[in-house]
Amino acid sequence: MKQDRAIRTRRLILEAAAAVFDEKGYQAAKLTDILERASLTKGALYFHFAGKEALAHAVLDAQVSDTPVPAPQRYKVQEYVDMGLIYTHLLVNDPLLRASARLSLEQIPGLNRSSPYVEWVERNTRVLAEAKERGELLLHVDPAETARITVGAYGGMNAMVSTLTPQLDLQHEILALYRHLLAGITVPAVLLELDVSPGRGAHVLAEAVLEPAVAAS
């Protein structure tokens, strides 16, 4: 019971920190703001986190750990797309992931923001490598290179949409991004059968699962 309570308290602090980071940004956020949002004491916070920087790293880590992987599909390249669409749906609806994305894009002196990029590239590379082995990708495609381009382009699109909201809609723009990427990496026979339609992110999220290593932590 104590362990369950500790897990719930840690999550409460993390979500409160995410809300404050999302509203104010890392530099302007204060621990007092987070404590007030969580309705907890300073001692409770320091039991779980060493300070604001540790909280920021935990929020950053949640960007990948809180995004489940898609259920197996007929084509691995569909799973590659679904991975991005699930994250996009969550990014629009989940304050924790939204705060994590904001932190990863902010220029914050002294804060290592590399972990989400590294993990997203690794996750995309694994799926694209399997797609390549199955003959779903064009011969010239390098899975690791394509993964880096995907993650970099996604981050840039998210930054632009955040700046131009409400003129641009993130889900619409990310669908367009994947359509353009797929045309340059996928063999025609597979490309014709891929689903990159509005609403797919929400649909495949219902069947998605956390990776075993994450679920066990």
Side-chain angles (χ1 to χ4, degrees):
M1 292 296 291
K2 285 185 178 180
Q3 184 178 10
D4 290 342
R5 185 163 60 250
I7 291 171
R8 288 195 299 271
T9 301
R10 186 184 188 279
R11 184 69 181 190
L12 179 63
I13 296 169
L14 194 61
E15 291 177 349
V20 174
F21 290 149
D22 189 36
E23 292 170 8
K24 299 187 175 185
Y26 178 80
Q27 304 279 32
K30 295 181 175 61
L31 286 178
T32 52
D33 299 326
I34 296 168
L35 290 171
E36 183 178 342
R37 182 67 64 97
S39 297
L40 292 170
T41 65
K42 187 178 293 187
L45 186 149
Y46 281 116
F47 178 80
H48 294 279
F49 300 98
K52 189 168 80 166
E53 184 175 335
L55 273 167
H57 282 300
V59 172
L60 283 166
D61 290 343
Q63 186 176 138
V64 180
S65 65
D66 275 32
T67 302
V69 295
Q73 303 292 322
R74 179 182 178 188
Y75 296 112
K76 278 292 173 181
V77 72
Q78 180 71 66
E79 294 176 32
Y80 153 75
V81 175
D82 289 348
M83 188 160 44
L85 299 186
I86 287 171
Y87 176 63
T88 303
H89 179 77
L90 290 172
L91 190 57
V92 172
N93 296 284
D94 187 328
L96 176 56
L97 294 192
R98 193 161 57 244
S100 181
R102 174 170 178 167
L103 286 177
S104 67
L105 294 172
E106 279 191 60
Q107 297 298 317
I108 304 171
L111 183 68
N112 186 347
R113 298 171 291 115
S114 65
S115 60
Y117 293 105
V118 171
E119 292 179 49
W120 277 124
V121 169
E122 289 177 352
R123 190 179 278 194
N124 277 272
T125 299
R126 287 197 301 269
V127 176
L128 287 168
E130 289 187 58
K132 183 73 178 285
E133 290 175 4
R134 294 184 180 196
E136 298 172 14
L137 302 183
L138 298 170
L139 292 177
H140 72 274
V141 174
D142 179 333
E145 181 181 69
T146 302
R148 292 193 299 273
I149 291 170
T150 302
V151 174
Y154 192 111
M157 183 63 75
N158 184 34
M160 184 175 73
V161 171
S162 298
T163 302
L164 298 180
T165 300
Q167 294 98 314
L168 296 179
D169 173 75
L170 181 63
Q171 298 192 67
H172 175 84
E173 300 303 323
I174 294 301
L175 285 169
L177 172 64
Y178 274 104
R179 286 195 296 270
H180 281 74
L181 290 171
L182 289 169
I185 67 170
T186 315
V187 298
V190 173
L191 182 61
L192 289 172
E193 298 196 43
L194 298 179
D195 184 355
V196 194
S197 59
R200 181 166 177 85
H203 173 72
V204 293
L205 175 60
E207 300 176 345
V209 295
L210 287 174
E211 290 188 314
V214 174
S217 61

